Amino acid sequence: MAELVTSGADPATARAVAVVLHGRGQTPGYMLEAVVSRLSTPDLHCVLPAAPGEGWYDAKAVEALSADTETQLIAALDLVAGAEAAARAACSGKPLILIGFSQGACLVIEHLMRGGQADAAAMLTGCRVGAATDDLPRAELSGLPVYCTNGDADPWIPTWAFQKAVADFITAGARVRSDVLPGRAHEIAAPEIAALDALCAAIADGTAPFGDSP
């Protein structure tokens, strides 16, 4: 089980719970500052797991999926599943939102594409784990609201790889909002926080995000 940091509303009064995944070289503290502290959604309880050694796996974005990477990825996804289970146990019956940045965003899509469950998700600057030629799994995500963002100046996640991940979400049946921010480097910008905040508020309120019907 990964070390878990919690923040936000008391689980007893929360109307939604979020599992928040940090990127490579980061910690839950980074996500508390860069994401959680900037959200205004009331009654949101957050669970933030910590990767061993501040990295979920060693491979860089879009490298071919090797046996070693697959082994590390499965171990990382087991930790994500453990955090998901802890979040659901703490906030039983409440909707769950999966949020990740950078390497954490890559885990969001791989978790969902390999059978992980959520009521909504946000992939902030991520892509599939593997090369374009790899045969990667794709689950059925019918109707799942997913917010996906990237910056066209991001040095770590190529725009084409981000767009391929978005296409995989769409093919899997998810309801996707996708934003590519001009000039945005490897960070989480104010427009992304505003859209994420709106997504969390809609899920907590039991209403449809993105302004459309479920």
Side-chain angles (χ1 to χ4, degrees):
M1 170 66 72
E3 175 191 352
L4 298 177
V5 174
T6 60
S7 181
D10 187 283
T13 59
R15 293 185 297 143
V17 59
V19 173
V20 185
L21 305 173
H22 65 78
R24 187 197 307 273
Q26 298 171 352
T27 66
Y30 176 84
M31 295 300 282
L32 285 172
E33 180 179 353
V35 177
V36 175
S37 69
R38 298 164 71 187
L39 297 175
S40 61
T41 303
D43 305 327
L44 179 67
H45 180 69
C46 295
V47 175
L48 301 94
E54 299 184 359
W56 298 102
Y57 49 87
D58 293 335
K60 304 298 192 295
V62 307
E63 287 182 349
L65 188 60
S66 68
D68 285 346
T69 300
E70 178 72 16
T71 297
Q72 292 178 343
L73 179 59
I74 289 171
L77 292 174
D78 283 345
L79 295 178
V80 175
E84 177 189 303
R88 292 191 186 279
C91 300
S92 179
K94 307 297 174 60
L96 184 140
I97 306 160
L98 189 61
I99 302 168
F101 171 65
S102 190
Q103 198 179 62
C106 299
L107 284 183
V108 165
I109 186 169
E110 298 306 329
H111 179 67
L112 293 171
M113 290 297 184
R114 295 167 184 247
Q117 301 295 312
D119 296 284
M123 183 186 72
L124 310 176
T125 309
C127 62
R128 298 302 306 263
V129 179
T133 54
D134 284 329
D135 184 17
L136 301 175
R138 185 182 296 138
E140 173 58 49
L141 302 174
S142 180
L144 178 72
V146 182
Y147 178 50
C148 302
T149 71
N150 202 31
D152 65 4
D154 193 296
W156 296 107
I157 304 294
T159 301
W160 69 262
F162 167 77
Q163 291 173 336
K164 183 180 184 300
V166 171
D168 281 359
F169 269 133
I170 293 171
T171 301
R175 292 190 298 120
V176 177
R177 171 178 168 177
S178 173
D179 292 334
V180 177
L181 280 68
R184 201 270 277 145
H186 198 65
E187 60 189 15
I188 305 171
E192 295 166 285
I193 291 295
L196 175 60
D197 211 7
L199 171 66
C200 293
I203 296 302
D205 290 341
T207 59
F210 312 145
D212 54 10
S213 58

